[in-house]
Amino acid sequence: EGLGASASAVNSRWSPIGFQQRLDQFARQIAGGDLTKCQCAYKSVAAHVGSQHLEELKDRRERAQMAIRLLRWEAQKSEFPSTLKELVSDYERVGSWVDFARYQLVAAGETEGVARSYRALFNKVTARREKENRRFGEILASATAQNLYGAGILLIEDVLKKIVAPLAKRVPGGVLFVVMDGMSLPVWRELSSD
């Protein structure tokens, strides 16, 4: 900065200032809402070599990656599953990753402009996910009221009888069954990556 070259830092593949400038450009594109421009700006962020190696930039690079994934997901308007089995499968394959990614966006450590763009994206994605959650709740309530869950759905109440007991009969040393009550799939994804 003292040399007056900070405006050119964006061209540096190693400069933390250059990384911030690239991130600022990405944030402006997120605010603009054009996916093509966002992807182009993200390519510049992803091409910054220093953010792959400098510890202080890695988390911020990962948040940018989560943001572009969420932007791409948001752009995909897909049919909402209609059965409980489809909903569970869709959440496991896609929804849990979306939830994991959106909560990464609101972590501390970003400048005001980047944080503001990430928060707006978080709010937009959260609104869509909440609609999906409400629909899931309606379908689950209906299935529970009718006691019709469909094939492929294993209730926690049936795990001992259908999984643990048969396994315990085959394993001489016994089986340790741990229920991690209250752990969401996005939290599990975060913990399992460590």
Side-chain angles (χ1 to χ4, degrees), residues 21-35:
Q21 291 170 344
R22 292 174 188 215
L23 209 51
D24 289 341
Q25 289 173 351
F26 180 51
R28 283 191 294 277
Q29 295 308 323
I30 291 172
D34 183 320
L35 179 60

Side-chain angles (χ1 to χ4, degrees), residues 33 43-44 78 126 132 159 181-182:
K43 284 180 185 176
S44 177
S78 60
T126 297
E132 292 175 355
V159 170
D181 188 29

Side-chain angles (χ1 to χ4, degrees), residues 68-187:
I68 196 65
R69 288 178 177 174
L70 289 172
L71 288 163
R72 290 174 183 148
W73 174 80
E74 183 63 33
Q76 297 173 351
K77 301 297 180 191
S78 60
E79 288 290 316
F80 193 73
S82 60
T83 68
L84 186 59
K85 181 179 179 179
E86 290 171 345
L87 284 164
V88 170
S89 177
D90 185 67
Y91 185 72
E92 182 182 359
R93 286 183 299 103
V94 179
S96 63
W97 287 106
V98 170
D99 286 347
F100 172 75
R102 72 184 166 118
Y103 285 111
Q104 300 303 308
L105 286 185
V106 292
E110 297 297 349
T111 60
E112 184 179 340
V114 174
R116 189 175 29 254
S117 288
Y118 284 177
R119 174 56 71 177
L121 178 57
F122 172 87
N123 291 340
K124 187 176 181 182
V125 169
T126 297
R128 180 172 165 189
R129 283 288 304 119
E130 287 305 314
K131 285 180 187 175
E132 292 175 355
N133 287 340
R134 274 191 294 285
R135 183 69 181 132
F136 174 79
E138 292 165 0
I139 290 175
L140 179 61
S142 175
T144 301
Q146 299 172 43
N147 201 25
L148 296 172
Y149 299 100
I153 300 289
L154 180 63
L155 303 177
I156 190 65
E157 295 86 357
D158 297 330
V159 170
L160 285 175
K161 178 175 61 177
K162 293 182 177 180
I163 304 291
V164 178
L167 186 59
K169 290 177 184 175
R170 291 184 294 182
V171 178
V175 174
L176 174 63
F177 176 61
V178 178
V179 176
M180 297 167 79
D181 188 29
M183 180 180 289
S184 68
L185 203 48
V187 170

Side-chain angles (χ1 to χ4, degrees), residues 51-68:
S51 66
Q52 298 172 31
H53 303 286
L54 299 172
E55 203 58 45
E56 69 268 18
L57 300 179
K58 283 183 181 180
D59 287 345
R60 300 179 72 211
R61 176 190 175 88
E62 288 174 11
R63 274 193 293 278
Q65 184 179 38
M66 297 298 171
I68 196 65

Side-chain angles (χ1 to χ4, degrees), residues 33-41:
D34 183 320
L35 179 60
T36 303
K37 290 180 180 178
C38 288
Q39 289 175 321
C40 184

